[in-house]
């Protein structure tokens, strides 16, 4: 899952980026409101975390511009302002959630997962399942037919994206946009290499393949007869 972080405080941003990467998210970071708006309007994100007090353009104006441009990316407003009026204003402007600084990192992660779950209409906030393949998002563990599968963080993120789009063909570009950050080389074969490693762990030890290649288009994860 790919997250946009707009935060001008380097210490706070570094803390969030490090933590979210450890959780398997791809992160794009903007230090000011205008850069954040440019990214929000040009790149596909699964969620955004936006501070209010920003140089160049404040966070509420940024969110308002996103919504007026038709960008529906779920947004968590991050702010040191915690009054009822501030929270109401943040939500009325277009924010989907509001988190007051200082905050517990685990709460931020839980709220991000909740926003993505609502946006993707997943029924269970903590578990994804396709056939015998099960992903526990809280414990960050993957099982197939009861067998524990050990995945590297990027493999986990790639499989999570495929499972959230189960039955839907996703292109290499879509995968790179959601699993890697925006500094990727479009000519790289990193997706093919990761898919190959994922198949070695998720499919090859079992009787039926779940990850299928759609030649010239991309990949789909689904259970076939």
């Amino acid at each position: 899952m790919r997250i946009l972080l707009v935060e001008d405080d380097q210490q706070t941003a570094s803390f969030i980026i490090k933590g979210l990467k450890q959780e398997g998210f791809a992160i794009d970071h903007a230090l000011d409101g205008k850069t954040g708006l440019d990214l929000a309007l040009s790149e596909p994100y699964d969620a955004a975390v936006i501070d209010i007090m920003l140089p160049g353009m404040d966070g509420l104006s940024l969110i308002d511009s996103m919504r007026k441009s038709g960008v529906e990316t779920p947004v968590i407003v991050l702010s040191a302002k915690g009054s009822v009026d501030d929270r109401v204003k943040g939500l009325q402007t277009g924010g989907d959630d509001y988190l007051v600084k200082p905050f517990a990192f685990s709460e931020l992660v839980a709220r991000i997962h909740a926003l993505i779950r609502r946006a993707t209409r997943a029924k269970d906030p903590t578990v994804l399942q396709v056939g015998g393949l099960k992903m526990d998002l809280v414990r960050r563990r993957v099982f197939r037919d009861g067998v524990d599968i050990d995945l590297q963080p990027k493999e986990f993120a790639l499989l999570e994206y495929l499972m959230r789009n189960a039955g839907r063909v996703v292109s290499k570009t879509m995968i790179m946009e959601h699993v890697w950050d925006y500094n990727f080389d479009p000519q790289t074969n990193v997706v093919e290499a990761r898919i190959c490693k994922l198949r070695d762990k998720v499919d090859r030890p079992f009787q039926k393949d779940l990850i299928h290649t759609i030649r010239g288009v991309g990949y789909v994860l689904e259970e076939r007869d």
Side-chain angles (χ1 to χ4, degrees):
M1 297 289 104
R2 189 178 180 189
I3 307 295
L4 171 63
L5 171 65
V6 189
E7 169 62 72
D8 64 323
D9 184 88
Q10 284 281 15
Q11 187 173 1
T12 301
S14 296
F15 167 72
I16 294 174
I17 291 169
K18 182 179 179 181
L20 291 182
K21 283 188 174 181
Q22 289 175 344
E23 292 288 329
F25 290 102
I27 311 296
D28 292 347
H29 175 218
L31 283 164
D32 62 81
K34 289 184 178 178
T35 303
L37 179 59
D38 288 342
L39 286 171
L41 298 183
S42 61
E43 302 291 335
Y45 292 102
D46 298 288
V49 179
I50 299 176
D51 189 19
I52 288 183
M53 302 294 286
L54 294 168
M57 169 185 284
D58 67 83
L60 295 182
S61 297
L62 191 168
I63 296 167
D64 185 53
S65 296
M66 287 172 59
R67 299 310 187 217
K68 288 179 177 175
S69 298
V71 175
E72 299 297 331
T73 303
V75 172
I76 295 178
V77 179
L78 202 60
S79 176
K81 297 181 176 179
S83 71
V84 172
D85 288 344
D86 289 326
R87 296 199 298 271
V88 168
K89 189 175 181 180
L91 296 173
Q92 287 180 335
T93 303
D96 298 279
D97 200 352
Y98 196 105
L99 189 59
V100 179
K101 298 178 182 177
F103 57 88
F105 183 75
S106 58
E107 183 178 3
L108 174 63
V109 172
R111 289 176 184 242
I112 289 173
H113 280 302
L115 285 186
I116 293 174
R117 170 173 54 85
R118 287 202 293 268
T120 58
R121 299 179 181 177
K123 294 180 180 179
D124 191 311
T126 62
V127 176
L128 301 176
Q129 184 165 3
V130 178
L133 181 64
K134 185 178 292 186
M135 173 177 280
D136 186 325
L137 296 170
V138 174
R139 298 162 64 200
R140 298 192 62 77
R141 297 182 67 181
V142 174
F143 303 88
R144 183 167 179 185
D145 298 338
V147 177
D148 196 346
I149 300 174
D150 183 30
L151 297 180
Q152 298 296 314
K154 192 58 74 178
E155 294 167 352
F156 188 97
L158 174 56
L159 183 61
E160 180 184 351
Y161 181 67
L162 292 174
M163 292 184 74
R164 287 188 183 277
N165 290 278
R168 175 189 177 197
V169 179
V170 293
S171 68
K172 174 182 173 181
T173 300
M174 292 167 67
I175 291 172
M176 296 199 76
E177 287 176 341
H178 287 269
V179 180
W180 277 264
D181 60 31
Y182 66 94
N183 295 312
F184 63 79
D185 176 2
Q187 302 302 318
T188 181
N189 66 347
V190 65
V191 172
E192 291 88 340
R194 291 287 183 177
I195 287 284
C196 184
K197 289 185 177 180
L198 203 53
R199 280 178 162 146
D200 285 342
K201 298 180 178 180
V202 171
D203 277 344
R204 293 211 162 81
F206 303 92
Q207 289 187 341
K208 290 185 178 179
D209 290 345
L210 291 175
I211 302 172
H212 306 279
T213 299
I214 308 300
R215 192 175 300 278
V217 181
Y219 304 93
V220 61
L221 189 148
E222 63 183 1
E223 190 175 36
R224 295 178 175 176
D225 294 331

